[in-house]
Amino acid sequence: MSNANQKTELLGLLPAQLADALAPLKVPAYRVQQIFRWLHQRRVKDFAEMTDLSKQFRMDLQNQFYINQPKIKQKLASCIDNTVKYLYQMQDGNCVEAVRMVYHHGVTACISTQVGCRMGCKFCASAPLGLVRNLTAAEMLGQIDLMDAEYPEEERVSGVVLMGIGEPLDNYENVLQFLRLLSCQEGRAMSLRHVTLSTCGLVPKIDQLAKEGLALTLSVSLHSPNDAARSALMPVNRKYPLDQLLAACGDYFRKTGRRVTFEYAVIRGENDSPEAAKQLAQRLRPVFPGMRPHVNLIPVNPVQDTGFCAGSAAQFRKYLEQEGVNATVRRTLGEDIQAACGQLRRNEMQDHNSNS
Ligand code: SF4
């Protein structure tokens, strides 16, 4: 990626791509590795900090390349737990959100993959604003780096969920590049077993992802067990209805050996009845034959203007268990800063519009 000054961005490049980019400077292979480590292990954002390179070489790098770095525009820290919600500003002024969550097993970053989203889910704060653009791999890494820069080394992010603003599979190539960089052994070396990619159900992309041989967890947002209701909540269902989506989930499991998890936001009066639980169980039983399906229930966040209210996730869990479906209720972190995903950006855009 090049910016307005025609400099090439380096953080988003894999080692072989970095070698190609640096080829005009006649950089030997060991120097390329050195620079990759500075970018991905030490995570420096300024060539001047690459102190084992000569001053002249650092200046040459500075003149021809740049390192992408979003900045923190706003930060909300929970007083209840250690959850921190960030509003990041990209170099072109666009904003996205990310959340740092502390679990007993480590620190997880929930990051955004697009500026906005075009999937139009009715319960989502990002949907009404539409898609502005895709994020690059470097902009996704930058979201994690900014969190890590605020904490000691031993509290670095150890897991990532792609569940922030955007539909990751709608930004397929950049997300794949991000995953390759994240798991690159010469760099961050994060196991993709610690990564969850959440999708609203882009079936052809799920099929494509199944062929990549990645060990990540695929999480599919279902939110409803029947097509009419799901299409009303999630327009993507009109194009890829439940039969197709669940068949793709079954194929994904057969090809990768990794079970798909299902997300279900419990919305009062929409999808929380005993009948909905029965339908959901009927849908899910054939997907992974011989195994009890598993659903993550999400207590829905109130979103301005959507009119949706939280249903009882605990009650719906009981209905599901009566139908032979395992369910967990997702622990809600950072309840005191619980603006639903996309709301910080939405508020920021409203403030910006009313000031201009
Ligand atoms: S819920 Fe996800 S896929 Fe749906 S509109 Fe919001 S960001 Fe997009």
Side-chain angles (χ1 to χ4, degrees), residues 65-208:
F65 304 98
Y66 74 104
I67 306 166
N68 193 294
Q69 174 73 321
K71 63 181 186 195
I72 298 173
K73 173 107 178 162
Q74 196 185 341
K75 194 169 106 177
L76 296 175
S78 169
C79 300
I80 302 171
D81 46 47
N82 292 315
T83 303
V84 182
K85 186 157 195 167
Y86 294 89
L87 181 70
Y88 290 136
Q89 187 170 44
M90 303 292 129
Q91 289 189 332
D92 65 357
N94 279 303
C95 291
V96 297
E97 290 176 25
V99 186
R100 182 183 185 276
M101 296 166 289
V102 181
Y103 293 96
H104 64 273
H105 56 266
V107 177
T108 295
C110 175
I111 65 163
S112 295
T113 54
Q114 295 180 302
V115 180
C117 184
R118 60 176 174 162
M119 295 298 131
C121 303
K122 294 290 181 283
F123 46 81
C124 175
S126 296
L129 303 168
L131 175 67
V132 177
R133 68 168 175 86
N134 289 327
L135 291 181
T136 63
E139 288 171 326
M140 293 178 226
L141 290 172
Q143 295 174 58
I144 300 168
D145 289 351
L146 279 174
M147 291 177 191
D148 282 344
E150 301 200 306
Y151 294 88
E153 178 90 17
E154 61 276 14
E155 292 175 38
R156 273 189 170 184
V157 168
S158 53
V160 175
V161 292
L162 304 180
M163 273 189 200
I165 297 171
E167 161 54 57
L169 296 184
D170 192 38
N171 183 15
Y172 192 88
E173 292 306 328
N174 286 335
V175 166
L176 261 277
Q177 178 82 356
F178 162 74
L179 294 172
R180 290 186 189 115
L181 283 163
L182 195 63
S183 57
C184 183
Q185 285 309 308
E186 298 95 317
R188 293 152 205 259
M190 184 184 287
S191 164
L192 293 184
R193 292 186 179 276
H194 299 145
V195 176
T196 298
L197 185 154
S198 171
T199 178
C200 65
L202 296 179
V203 168
K205 296 295 180 188
I206 293 174
D207 294 342
Q208 196 176 341

